[in-house]
Amino acid sequence: MPQLRIHLVRHGEVFNPEGILYGRLPGYGLSERGFEMAQRVAAALPAKDPHLRALVASPLQRAQETIAPLAERLALPVVTDERVIEAENDFEGTRVTKDSLVRDPRSLFLVRNPLRPSWGERYIDQALRMRAAMMSLRSRLAAIAARDGLDEASGVIVSHQLPIWSTRLWTEGRPLAHDPRKRECALASVTSFSDGSGTLDVVEYADIAGDLQLTQPGTGA
């Protein structure tokens, strides 16, 4: 059996001077630093794993711009998969602060249950759709490995912080409810899943653009 591996890459920094929680809104592309992060991914990931054979990305602009340099370097097409899109969020398009939550009764109602969470797509739904996309890609990689006689084959999915983190928590059997400040999923980072029992259950993490990270207001991830 070939060794199969999937790398979940978070997109690079987004140009968002107003600090809007942009979520799935169109028109939010990479900042200058974000494009530098995308180039970092294109250089570092093939060096880390020379067995890359398939590329997938969220349909959102920031994900497509992040994967583009890697696709060019590897001369591979990018498959767009709606299942790896950003999480739904009822605060999308607004600037969320502690003061705004306190002043707006509707906002307070939305955050009534952080365990679900009540303001958007459930953590479990994010994890399950991401895992479905990953298993689809795993099947493609297995077919490529069989066709080309490969001992190893890897794929890349460029997605977003919360879906990636929810997927990691689910895969590792940890509670999905969490403190957002403790997510280990930096911009342009790589969370890798390898076959253990045939279900992509061995997880590794690498912050390959740590020196480019800056605290950015707003959020969207």
Side-chain angles (χ1 to χ4, degrees), residues 5-11 41-42 44-46 48-58 63 66-68 70-71 74 76-81 84 130 133-134 137-138 140-141 153-159 164 188-193 208:
R5 189 178 303 103
I6 292 178
H7 305 288
L8 299 187
V9 177
R10 185 184 171 194
H11 62 79
V41 170
L45 200 48
K48 172 183 173 67
D49 185 348
H51 306 288
L52 300 176
R53 295 293 184 272
L55 305 179
V56 175
S58 157
T66 298
I67 206 169
L70 180 64
L74 298 176
L76 288 173
V78 176
V79 173
T80 298
D81 193 330
V84 303
M130 288 286 291
M134 291 166 64
L137 179 53
R138 183 190 181 282
R140 285 178 54 204
L141 292 171
S154 303
V156 175
I157 298 176
V158 175
S159 184
I164 293 173
S189 62
V190 182
T191 305
S192 303
F193 298 74
I208 63 175

Side-chain angles (χ1 to χ4, degrees), residues 63-126:
Q64 295 285 328
E65 290 176 344
T66 298
I67 206 169
L70 180 64
E72 182 178 4
R73 179 179 290 258
L74 298 176
L76 288 173
V78 176
V79 173
T80 298
D81 193 330
E82 292 280 349
R83 292 175 294 183
V84 303
I85 198 170
E86 176 64 283
E88 293 178 346
N89 194 311
D90 292 335
F91 287 106
E92 184 177 276
T94 66
R95 193 168 183 274
V96 181
T97 65
K98 290 182 180 179
D99 288 342
S100 68
L101 292 176
V102 171
R103 289 196 305 265
D104 185 354
R106 178 179 176 272
S107 295
L108 285 176
F109 178 75
L110 287 177
V111 299
R112 67 193 181 279
N113 181 8
L115 301 180
R116 182 188 185 274
S118 54
W119 56 86
E121 185 180 8
R122 296 191 307 165
Y123 297 130
I124 184 61
D125 292 337
Q126 295 175 56

